[in-house]
Amino acid sequence: MSDTHYQNQQQQHAPTKYFSSSLFSVFLKIFSDPFKIFFQNKHFFFPILLFFTLPLAFLLFSLSFSSRPLKRHILHLESVAFLSSTGFEARHVLKESREESLSLLRLKLLFSFPSSIFSLLSFISTVHVTSLSPPHHPSFLSTATALKLAWKRVAVTSLCSYVLFLLYIQFPQLFAAAFRNHPRISLPILIIGAGFEVYLMGVLSLGLVVSALEEKFGWDAFRVGSDLMAGRRVCWWWVTCMLVAVSGWIGNRFEKLTEGENSVKSGGWTVVMGWETVGWLWLYGVLIIWSFIVTTVFYSDCKNRFKGVNHSPNGTDLTDFTV
């Protein structure tokens, strides 16, 4: 009787133990394999970092710094309009707010084109180098070929991801605004919305890797990426949360660093590049490449799991790459 009871307990706890060990092994692979891949291919990743990723990081930091006064002025004008005692004054302030918003939009458009180019080059190059494992070896020629073959797919998929993400983020804000007088309802809406926003970011990033390595793009790439996540959605959600948290922390540190009077010069366009600022810039560039490597490793692991392929020592055996 006792032996039967013990066996039943073992059978009940077995799925939990298997799930926890499997989850731990996935986390270990996701965070250990990128180190191996990075140092094995450092002669490729350092040029990518220097010529593509650091300029991208500099543009993103410059946009954040340059748009900060405009954003604050717009928020100030909106608050003034909300508290205005007369409709005429409110309309006048809102008109000025719209003009400032157009200036902010023009500023973002000015930075968007070069940022998109560097982002595209950095992403495809990093994904291509990461996806290859022995007996395949990356080269500058194969990387150039990958850029030539994949850039259209990745560009279309990036545009689709931007539109989808832009549409989604409106819904939690609208629902929270509708229940703003009921904080017990609006707060959970914002929390759930933020959690799903991170999940959506994970799906979109995986879809971008699919578009870079397979003959798929747009919504089809997102569908494939979502299917590959089956059984590991929670794991990838946590990994995405970590990457988003580190990115936000770096952005917050840079914002605090450039708050002082010495960091602003004529026109609000010049950032004093002190050593500390340069350090955060390099760290953000490394984070960008690191996130691309991690996403590609996760894609490769999921792909191999579905195909039943034995993993290579570095965990990135991808036998069906197309670029």
Side-chain angles (χ1 to χ4, degrees), residues 217-241:
F217 60 90
W219 313 118
D220 193 28
F222 299 142
R223 178 188 58 78
V224 173
S226 180
D227 291 342
L228 288 174
M229 289 171 60
R232 296 181 175 180
R233 300 183 190 277
V234 175
C235 174
W236 186 236
W237 183 83
W238 276 110
V239 173
T240 308
C241 280

Side-chain angles (χ1 to χ4, degrees), residues 44 124-125 128-129 132 136-149 321-323:
F44 291 104
I124 298 175
S125 302
H128 171 73
V129 173
L132 298 181
H136 306 288
H137 295 282
S139 65
F140 290 106
L141 181 60
S142 69
T143 304
T145 304
L147 288 167
K148 180 181 177 181
L149 294 175
F321 60 90
T322 60
V323 297

Side-chain angles (χ1 to χ4, degrees), residues 240-256:
T240 308
C241 280
M242 294 177 190
L243 294 174
V244 171
V246 175
S247 176
W249 175 70
I250 293 175
N252 182 261
R253 293 295 301 175
F254 173 77
E255 184 174 343
K256 290 182 177 180

Side-chain angles (χ1 to χ4, degrees), residues 92-205:
H92 177 74
V93 174
L94 287 176
K95 181 181 178 181
E96 185 179 354
S97 175
R98 284 192 295 269
E99 292 175 353
E100 292 293 297
S101 299
L102 289 174
S103 299
L104 179 61
L105 179 61
R106 286 192 292 268
L107 180 62
K108 289 183 176 181
L109 289 175
L110 180 66
F111 278 90
S112 64
F113 181 72
S115 298
S116 300
I117 297 298
F118 283 117
S119 178
L120 197 71
L121 295 172
S122 177
F123 176 78
I124 298 175
S125 302
T126 303
V127 170
H128 171 73
V129 173
T130 305
S131 67
L132 298 181
S133 61
H136 306 288
H137 295 282
S139 65
F140 290 106
L141 181 60
S142 69
T143 304
T145 304
L147 288 167
K148 180 181 177 181
L149 294 175
W151 76 268
K152 291 181 181 179
R153 297 195 305 268
V154 176
V156 172
T157 308
S158 299
L159 183 61
C160 292
S161 68
Y162 178 77
V163 172
L164 185 61
F165 190 75
L166 195 63
L167 289 174
Y168 168 75
I169 60 176
Q170 307 299 323
F171 287 101
Q173 297 175 3
L174 288 174
F175 282 113
F179 295 99
R180 61 180 179 274
N181 295 326
H182 304 279
R184 292 184 179 179
I185 300 177
S186 61
L187 184 60
I189 289 175
L190 290 174
I191 294 175
I192 294 172
F196 190 79
E197 181 179 330
V198 174
Y199 172 78
L200 182 62
M201 292 170 66
V203 174
L204 297 179
S205 62

Side-chain angles (χ1 to χ4, degrees), residues 91 206 220 271 284 300:
R91 285 192 297 270
L206 204 59
D220 193 28
V271 180
Y284 193 68
S300 302

